[in-house]
């Protein structure tokens, strides 16, 4: 099984999940670095992947998505367009991004796409079962029972991560993975800047999606004088038409991003042991790195 990690999700959970008192020898906060590698170890032990790729946010808010939807992720953006990151995270992200290749863990990114798209692309390229580890709800759209694609959702922390197959997505949202995007754009998602449709909350969105088959079916029903869609909703859907079309494009992951072929093989030993040692010492995370190694080491049977 190929495990695709939404790396930014994992370091955010690590940052917020560990006490700020965890410090590097030089006094900088180090909880995200430690928690990231401990998190990888926990995930590797629980799911025993045979391949691992950490997918990075080459572009957290691509211009092409902004061109479609001006408000996209605007609540999380600083005036200069960069992401509003919490104190002390940036240096830790740099450390994680340096440690991964030194350890020999595959990474993938594209300068014009989000980790979401890179993950979708790597999943589309393989016939193997895929486990996507993320705290980003958008990626529920990748769940596919037939092709054995599941999501490990990090909402409540790394050790309490929940495994989602198609039935679990339906149980949580009321719609299947193939309609998660329809549901999200109808209901709205403030953290991504999706306004939603006036008068349509989560419950109505579920009913509409399941009755009319998503945004496309709903747009058709709204335009059809004969359809049984209530007049009030016909109007709301009609008025929101442009938003709906754009929001669906924004929220649908791109599965054919030009990222190089990656070798997802689990590293048997660090690729650059000296760099690993130097970084582990600098950040005071040698034991977390050790736990990671033990978790991915080929098990003697
Ligand atoms: Mn994302
Ligand atoms: Mn997303």
């Amino acid at each position: 099984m190929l495990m695709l990690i939404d790396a930014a999700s994992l370091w955010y959970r690590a940052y917020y999940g560990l006490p700020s008192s965890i410090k590097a020898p030089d006094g900088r906060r180090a909880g995200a670095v430690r928690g990231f590698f401990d998190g990888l170890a926990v995930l590797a032990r629980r799911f025993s992947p045979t391949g691992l790729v950490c997918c990075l946010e080459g572009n957290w808010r691509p211009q092409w998505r902004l061109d479609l939807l001006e408000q996209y992720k605007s609540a999380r953006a600083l005036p200069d367009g960069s992401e509003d990151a919490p104190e002390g995270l940036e240096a830790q992200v740099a450390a994680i991004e340096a440690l991964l290749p030194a350890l020999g863990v595959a990474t993938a990114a594209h300068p014009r796409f989000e980790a979401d798209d890179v993950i979708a692309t790597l999943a589309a390229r393989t016939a193997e079962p895929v486990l996507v580890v993320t705290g980003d709800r958008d990626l529920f759209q990748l769940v596919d029972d037939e092709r054995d694609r599941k999501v490990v959702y990090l909402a409540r922390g790394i050790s309490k991560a929940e495994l989602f197959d198609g039935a679990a997505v339906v149980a949580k949202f009321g719609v299947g993975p193939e309609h998660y995007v329809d549901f999200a754009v109808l209901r709205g998602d403030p953290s991504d800047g999706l306004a939603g449709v006036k008068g349509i909350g989560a419950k109505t969105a579920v009913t509409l999606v399941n009755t009319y088959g998503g945004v496309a079916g709903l747009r058709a029903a709204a335009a059809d004088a004969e359809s049984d869609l209530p007049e009030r909703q016909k109007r709301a859907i009609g008025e929101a038409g442009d938003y709906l079309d754009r929001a669906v494009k924004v929220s649908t992951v791109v599965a054919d991003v030009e990222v190089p072929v990656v070798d997802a093989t689990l590293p048997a030993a660090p690729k650059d042991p000296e760099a690993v040692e130097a970084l582990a010492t600098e950040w005071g995370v040698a034991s977390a790195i050790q736990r990671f190694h033990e978790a991915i080491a080929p098990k003697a049977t």
Side-chain angles (χ1 to χ4, degrees):
M1 175 265 287
L2 174 63
M3 186 182 260
L4 300 175
I5 307 280
D6 185 351
S9 280
L10 190 58
W11 64 58
Y12 265 95
R13 299 306 146 187
Y15 179 92
Y16 288 110
L18 274 86
S20 57
S21 55
I22 295 173
K23 297 266 166 68
D26 66 7
R28 283 181 291 176
R29 286 181 65 159
V33 186
R34 189 201 285 185
F36 183 90
F37 288 99
D38 270 333
L40 280 185
V42 166
L43 292 161
R45 278 187 207 285
R46 180 168 162 197
F47 298 107
S48 305
T50 49
L52 174 69
V53 183
C54 283
C55 300
L56 305 171
E57 207 82 285
N59 189 331
W60 78 287
R61 196 167 165 247
Q63 187 59 44
W64 66 269
R65 281 196 164 101
L66 274 173
D67 290 344
L68 283 163
L69 208 67
E70 206 187 336
Q71 292 305 305
Y72 183 58
K73 289 187 174 176
S74 59
R76 290 187 257 161
L78 293 172
D80 71 354
S82 65
E83 188 174 15
D84 189 5
E87 195 205 326
L89 180 60
E90 217 178 299
Q92 297 186 78
V93 168
I96 293 165
E97 288 185 343
L99 271 161
L100 288 170
L103 286 162
V105 175
T107 60
H110 189 289
R112 285 190 308 279
F113 290 92
E114 296 177 50
D116 299 29
D117 307 304
V118 173
I119 288 170
T121 298
L122 297 184
R125 279 184 190 170
T126 182
E128 261 185 89
V130 172
L131 204 59
V132 173
V133 177
T134 187
D136 187 336
R137 282 179 297 210
D138 293 333
L139 292 175
F140 285 124
Q141 68 188 278
L142 291 179
V143 171
D144 184 337
D145 291 342
E146 221 161 281
R147 299 188 65 207
D148 202 349
R149 274 91 174 92
K150 296 191 182 80
V151 162
V152 176
Y153 189 51
L154 297 173
R156 281 188 233 147
I158 296 158
S159 53
K160 288 186 207 134
E162 287 175 80
L163 184 62
F164 281 80
D165 59 6
V169 172
V170 173
K172 187 172 173 76
F173 299 102
V175 300
E178 70 283 8
H179 283 313
Y180 180 79
V181 166
D182 300 298
F183 164 76
V185 304
L186 283 167
R187 181 201 54 176
D189 187 332
S191 80
D192 273 356
L194 302 182
V197 178
K198 210 175 141 211
I200 296 181
K203 231 177 122 190
T204 310
V206 168
T207 309
L208 291 176
V209 165
N210 289 329
T211 309
Y212 298 96
V215 165
L218 206 47
R219 295 265 280 134
D224 176 3
E226 306 289 301
S227 88
D228 54 2
L229 184 68
E231 210 45 53
R232 194 165 50 88
Q233 283 164 358
K234 264 188 188 160
R235 211 173 319 120
I237 298 291
E239 279 165 13
D242 187 47
Y243 156 78
L244 287 170
D245 293 344
R246 290 165 175 268
V248 166
K249 277 190 206 136
V250 164
S251 303
T252 301
V253 291
V254 179
D256 58 356
V257 172
E258 283 180 22
V259 282
V261 173
V262 284
D263 177 4
T265 313
L266 300 173
K271 198 168 174 207
D272 185 347
E274 281 162 30
V276 171
E277 210 199 305
L279 284 159
T281 307
E282 180 187 346
W283 287 89
V285 294
S287 39
I289 298 290
Q290 184 57 34
R291 287 189 288 274
F292 168 69
H293 276 306
E294 285 162 11
I296 62 160
K299 315 240 176 342
T301 42

